[in-house]
Amino acid sequence: MFLPLLATPLFLLALAMPAAALDADSIVRQAIDHYRGQSSRADMTMTIHRPDWERSMRMQAWTAGDEKTLVRVTEPRKDAGNATLSVEGNMWTFSPSINRVIKVPSSMMGQNWMGSDFSNKDVSKDADIVSQYDHTLLATEEQDGHQVWVIQSVPHEEAAVVWGREVLRIRDDWVLLEQQFWSQDGELVKTLRALAIEEMAGRPVATVMRMAKTEATEEYTELRTHAVEFDLELADSLFTLSSLRNPRQ
C-alpha cells in the first residue's frame, strides 16, 4: 500500500478535463497510477496494534508497472529478511528462518500478511481493481476544499477476488482517502483510511494509512510512509525469485 505526478498522456489529459467529464473508470485508473507511479521505491513502518500488545516492522517496497511488487522487512532483527514478491497475480514469500521460497496459492491471497490486518492481496498492491471490477460513481462530495468522488467497485463474475464489492473515496488530486471492503454477503468487513496526507516526491501522499476491522475497531494496522521515490529505473532482475531470496538492491 506508496505514493512526481505522472507525465503520461492519460494523466495530462485528465488534468485538462473538467472533473465532471471524468468517469468512474478513469478516476480509479488515475488513483492507482498516482499510488504506484510507473515505478516506485518506499521506506515504511507497519505497526500492528492489538488491545494487549503492539509490534512494528520497518520495510522497503518496490513496484513496477501494474503487476510487480516486492516488499522486504528490514527490522526488527527477528523479522528481517522476510519478503514477499508479486508478479502478474502470482505471489511468493521468502522466510530466512527456513531458507525457503514458498508459492502462495490463490486460496490464501485473502489471508493476513505477517499477522497484520492487511491481506496478502493488499500487500501485493497490484492494479487488478482497474481491470477486474466495474466502477460506478455513487456521489461527489466536498472535503477540506477538495472534491471527493465516492465510487463503488464490483468485481466481474469470473474475477478471482474475495470481496463482494469495494467502495472508494478518491480526492481530486488522486489521493485514496478510504477503501471499504465488503463481503459477498453484503457486510462491511474492514476499512482502509488515510489519516495523514503530506507532499512527498512532488505529489500529495497518504503518509499514514490505517486498516481496521469493522467488528474490532481496537484492532488495527497502520502503515506509515517515511520516504518514497517514483518513476525510477528498476532492473527487471529485482522482481525475480532469485532476488527474493538474495537481495541485490
Side-chain angles (χ1 to χ4, degrees):
M1 295 238 109
F2 312 114
L3 308 162
L5 292 176
L6 290 178
T8 61
L10 178 60
F11 185 80
L12 295 176
L13 177 61
L15 288 180
M17 294 170 62
L22 290 171
D23 61 18
D25 289 1
S26 299
I27 295 169
V28 173
R29 174 76 263 182
Q30 290 298 332
I32 295 298
D33 285 348
H34 183 83
Y35 184 72
R36 292 180 65 96
Q38 295 173 334
S39 62
S40 69
R41 177 172 60 214
D43 178 29
M44 303 171 294
T45 296
M46 176 179 281
T47 300
I48 304 169
H49 175 86
R50 298 295 182 259
D52 53 351
W53 60 268
E54 185 174 279
R55 71 183 184 97
S56 296
M57 295 179 288
R58 193 76 175 230
M59 306 182 301
Q60 289 187 318
W62 299 261
T63 71
D66 281 351
E67 298 185 320
K68 294 181 180 179
T69 302
L70 173 65
V71 179
R72 192 182 307 281
V73 179
T74 58
E75 297 176 11
R77 179 176 296 182
K78 68 181 182 67
D79 294 316
N82 282 284
T84 299
L85 173 68
S86 178
V87 177
E88 298 179 352
N90 298 297
M91 177 176 277
W92 300 265
T93 63
F94 173 71
S95 173
S97 63
I98 60 174
N99 195 30
R100 285 185 58 193
V101 172
I102 300 174
K103 176 77 183 298
V104 179
S106 57
S107 60
M108 293 186 63
M109 290 300 285
Q111 298 298 309
N112 292 348
W113 185 79
M114 294 196 67
S116 74
D117 296 294
F118 288 86
S119 69
N120 289 320
K121 187 66 173 176
D122 297 330
V123 170
S124 74
K125 292 178 69 265
D126 62 26
D128 65 1
I129 193 171
V130 175
S131 60
Q132 296 190 35
Y133 286 68
D134 292 318
H135 310 288
T136 304
L137 181 62
L138 299 181
T140 301
E141 304 172 348
E142 296 289 332
Q143 180 177 322
D144 300 327
H146 288 273
Q147 188 173 45
V148 177
W149 296 291
V150 182
I151 294 173
Q152 178 171 269
S153 301
V154 178
H156 300 161
E157 187 172 344
E158 71 280 4
V161 298
V162 299
W163 305 114
R165 64 186 174 106
E166 299 180 28
V167 177
L168 315 176
R169 298 182 70 249
I170 300 172
R171 211 165 71 168
D172 57 11
D173 55 3
W174 314 117
V175 174
L176 177 63
L177 298 179
E178 184 176 281
Q179 185 171 6
Q180 299 176 357
F181 300 87
W182 294 75
S183 73
Q184 302 283 351
D185 297 325
E187 296 181 354
L188 178 60
V189 178
K190 62 180 183 177
T191 302
L192 178 66
R193 290 188 175 92
L195 302 185
I197 299 170
E198 302 176 28
E199 190 82 8
M200 279 189 177
R203 71 175 68 181
V205 173
T207 54
V208 181
M209 303 193 76
R210 176 182 290 187
M211 184 80 82
K213 302 172 184 176
T214 303
E215 295 185 353
T217 54
E218 73 282 1
E219 299 183 8
Y220 59 83
T221 300
E222 284 189 1
L223 190 63
R224 183 179 296 270
T225 299
H226 305 290
V228 64
E229 299 174 89
F230 292 97
D231 305 332
L232 310 166
E233 291 292 334
L234 298 178
D236 290 340
S237 59
L238 178 64
F239 302 97
T240 62
L241 296 182
S242 176
S243 174
L244 177 67
R245 180 189 291 270
N246 301 302
R248 298 186 181 90
Q249 187 164 346

